[in-house]
């Protein structure tokens, strides 16, 4: 197929004839542009409603309660990001979270993965940065705003199927219990990121509680 560069304006029709078969292809630059834009729009997830967030000062009581729970406490090591993956549950309508830390603050953010839920089990993933997790995913969209900096937690690329509910910011979780809730936008998995990637020296002891409400 012979290649020709033809300047195109809005609504131009381009005809390309094959030197081999003589067949003629008729292309509309306007229609092709519309098709491409349509595909890009389809790839974008619907907007997410903002969460409800609050704090309480009963940190000692909360830590004592979570310290007795089997999975209510963990250590986020220096330079690490812990992601708690919470699938939507058919018996629930909203997700709720509470967390606190010992002595020092920690970065925290919430994202939503528009994907089919195959298990309702809550899982924990540890990585050296948010970027490391994103590199494992394909089809990243370039140009979307990064999440976080030295004061806000680590930088994160957001794929087309991901939506941001709460950006990653450092929270004073050593002074107050950080809490929030979000109504399910549909089927998918919530990603609660506890970000200690900015800390080069200190591990953070994290107390957290995640549950559903109907």
């Amino acid at each position: 197929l012979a290649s020709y560069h033809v300047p195109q304006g809005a609504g131009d029709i381009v005809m390309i004839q094959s030197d081999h078969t003589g067949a003629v292809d008729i292309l509309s630059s306007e229609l092709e542009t519309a098709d491409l834009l349509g595909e890009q729009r389809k790839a974008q997830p619907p907007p997410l409603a903002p969460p409800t967030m609050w704090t309480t000062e009963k940190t000692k009581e909360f830590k004592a309660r979570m310290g007795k729970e089997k999975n209510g406490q963990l250590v986020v090591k220096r330079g690490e990001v812990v992601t708690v993956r919470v699938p939507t549950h058919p018996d629930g309508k909203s997700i709720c979270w509470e967390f606190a830390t010992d002595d020092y603050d920690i970065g925290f953010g919430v994202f939503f993965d528009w994907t089919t839920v195959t298990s309702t089990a809550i899982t924990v993933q540890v990585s050296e940065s948010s970027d490391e997790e994103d590199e494992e995913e394909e089809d990243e969209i370039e140009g979307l705003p990064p999440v976080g900096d030295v004061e806000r937690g680590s930088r994160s690329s957001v794929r087309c199927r991901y939506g941001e509910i709460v950006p990653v910011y450092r929270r004073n979780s050593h002074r107050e219990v950080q809490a929030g809730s979000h109504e399910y936008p549909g089927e998918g998995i919530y990603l609660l990121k506890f970000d200690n990637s900015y800390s080069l020296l200190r591990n953070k002891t994290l107390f957290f509680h995640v549950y559903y409400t109907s």
Side-chain angles (χ1 to χ4, degrees), residues 88-101:
T88 54
H89 198 284
D91 295 333
K93 291 184 179 179
S94 298
I95 183 180
C96 298
W97 62 85
E98 301 172 291
F99 70 93
T101 50

Side-chain angles (χ1 to χ4, degrees), residues 12-17 23-29 31-32:
D12 284 352
I13 299 297
V14 179
M15 300 178 66
I16 301 177
Q17 185 172 16
V24 176
D25 289 329
I26 300 177
L27 305 176
S28 168
S29 60
L31 288 176
E32 283 199 333

Side-chain angles (χ1 to χ4, degrees), residues 131-169:
D131 294 328
E132 181 179 301
E133 297 175 24
D134 297 319
E135 287 172 1
E136 297 175 359
E137 302 289 349
E138 297 176 352
D139 305 324
E140 291 182 353
I141 287 185
E142 297 181 358
L144 290 178
V147 178
D149 57 23
V150 173
E151 292 299 320
R152 296 173 53 191
S154 71
R155 183 173 296 273
S156 173
S157 301
V158 183
R159 277 188 4 120
C160 61
R161 79 180 197 202
Y162 286 78
E164 181 183 82
I165 298 172
V166 180
V168 176
Y169 280 95

Side-chain angles (χ1 to χ4, degrees), residues 6 28-29 32-34 46 55 62 71 90 99 107 110 117 124 129 140 157 161 172 183 200-201 206:
V6 182
S28 168
S29 60
E32 283 199 333
T33 301
T55 61
F62 177 74
N71 298 312
F99 70 93
V110 182
V117 174
V124 176
S129 72
E140 291 182 353
S157 301
R161 79 180 197 202
N172 291 325
E183 185 175 348
L200 302 178
L201 301 174
L206 173 69

Side-chain angles (χ1 to χ4, degrees), residues 163-185:
E164 181 183 82
I165 298 172
V166 180
V168 176
Y169 280 95
R170 289 169 65 172
R171 317 284 171 166
N172 291 325
S173 49
H174 57 306
R175 297 175 182 169
E176 297 177 308
V177 178
Q178 308 289 314
S181 66
H182 190 263
E183 185 175 348
Y184 295 168

